[in-house]
Amino acid sequence: MLLFTIWIFVTMILSVQSSSLVSGERSRQTLDVLLVTPLSGREIILEKVQGLRRLIWVISACFVTAYLFEVWWNGSVGHNSWFGYSRTRYLVGSVLSLLVYLPLVIWLSMWIGLKTKSQTRAILLSLATIAAWCLIPFGVFILFAELTGSEYTPILFLAPFAMIVVNELNDFPKYSNAMGTQAILEWVVVFVNYAWYGGWVLVFRGLSLRYADRYLGRRDEQWETRFPPQSTTSPYSENILAASSSQ
């Protein structure tokens, strides 16, 4: 339960920090000063996120320590096998949650902050989006379970943090038995879930970096360098203008 609470606070901290990186500059009216630097929009965004990456490393170190301690503490109960309760699967799922979900929170909130002018609105919209993305699938799962009497539905794994709950509570065997499949599908669920949300990390990161100049409100500085404006005046017109001026 404590680990779930820590995840909630970490998610809120990263979301607030990420959504405020650019929207905070707009609110303080210091974004124009930043835009006159000889950096492209992509480079500005990457420099902004660089500070959060160091924060992620510190947070990840604390989480990994807690995960290793839990594996050591429950070593007499768990069995390091590919079926049943697997310490290997627990560690793999826990580490992947850090590698995928933390960047997902950062880049989603960054993208929302880039598109929002107000810092307060960016923070609230980021938190609301993450909360809705996590809670709506759980609500659909409960409704599906009430209507069908089934304890399993793939809709549950549409929630970004469902894997954290399932991994910590060791609910894989129950879902696997309800599906009538072998426990090896637990590994399939793990990798499919993290591959799916890893793809969303790339999507939000790509949108933030590709359209960085547009979101920041600056024109592409490299456009005129690569494609300099050409004169529409023909050589004949230039000769006529020169002759007329000499007269």
Side-chain angles (χ1 to χ4, degrees):
M1 189 64 183
L2 178 61
L3 193 60
F4 299 149
T5 305
I6 295 176
W7 262 106
I8 294 175
F9 279 107
V10 168
T11 301
M12 294 177 62
I13 292 173
L14 291 179
S15 180
V16 170
Q17 292 290 333
S18 302
S19 59
S20 302
L21 289 177
V22 176
S23 61
E25 297 283 354
R26 289 195 181 102
S27 299
R28 294 188 296 268
Q29 298 182 352
T30 56
L31 184 60
D32 292 337
V33 179
L34 185 63
L35 294 180
V36 299
T37 59
L39 297 175
S40 65
R42 178 188 179 92
E43 291 172 338
I44 292 176
I45 298 302
L46 290 177
E47 288 294 331
K48 286 285 189 180
V49 176
Q50 187 64 32
L52 291 179
R53 290 178 179 175
R54 290 189 287 267
L55 179 60
I56 284 183
W57 283 112
V58 175
I59 294 174
S60 299
C62 298
F63 271 112
V64 170
T65 302
Y67 292 145
L68 292 176
F69 177 79
E70 185 170 352
V71 169
W72 173 78
W73 182 261
N74 297 326
S76 59
V77 179
H79 301 283
N80 192 11
S81 64
W82 292 91
F83 302 97
Y85 182 85
S86 172
R87 286 177 289 177
T88 303
R89 187 192 59 223
Y90 173 78
L91 284 177
V92 170
S94 300
V95 172
L96 286 177
S97 66
L98 299 175
L99 296 177
V100 174
Y101 291 148
L102 296 183
L104 177 62
V105 171
I106 287 179
W107 285 109
L108 172 60
S109 302
M110 168 62 76
W111 180 66
I112 294 176
L114 285 171
K115 293 174 66 65
T116 309
K117 295 181 179 180
S118 170
Q119 181 180 6
T120 303
R121 185 181 302 175
I123 293 175
L124 295 178
L125 186 58
S126 299
L127 294 175
T129 302
I130 294 174
W133 202 347
C134 294
L135 297 179
I136 290 178
F138 277 102
V140 176
F141 165 73
I142 296 175
L143 180 62
F144 181 87
E146 290 291 335
L147 294 177
T148 62
S150 174
E151 296 182 354
Y152 173 80
T153 174
I155 300 175
L156 175 62
F157 294 98
L158 295 177
F161 298 103
M163 189 58 61
I164 298 176
V165 177
V166 172
N167 199 37
E168 287 294 326
L169 299 180
N170 192 30
D171 279 344
F172 285 103
K174 180 176 62 176
Y175 292 136
S176 180
N177 293 335
M179 293 174 62
T181 60
Q182 296 180 355
I184 194 64
L185 287 182
E186 300 166 9
W187 282 96
V188 176
V189 171
V190 170
F191 288 112
V192 168
N193 180 274
Y194 290 120
W196 169 254
Y197 288 107
W200 279 108
V201 174
L202 298 178
V203 168
F204 290 120
R205 184 180 185 275
L207 290 174
S208 300
L209 298 180
R210 183 177 181 179
Y211 301 105
D213 288 308
R214 181 186 303 177
Y215 291 146
L216 293 174
R218 71 191 300 186
R219 60 185 177 86
D220 190 0
E221 296 178 347
Q222 298 179 351
W223 180 260
E224 294 185 357
T225 303
R226 296 179 180 178
F227 304 99
Q230 299 180 358
S231 176
T232 58
T233 306
S234 64
Y236 301 101
S237 301
E238 292 179 355
N239 295 334
I240 296 175
L241 292 174
S244 62
S245 61
S246 61
Q247 294 177 356

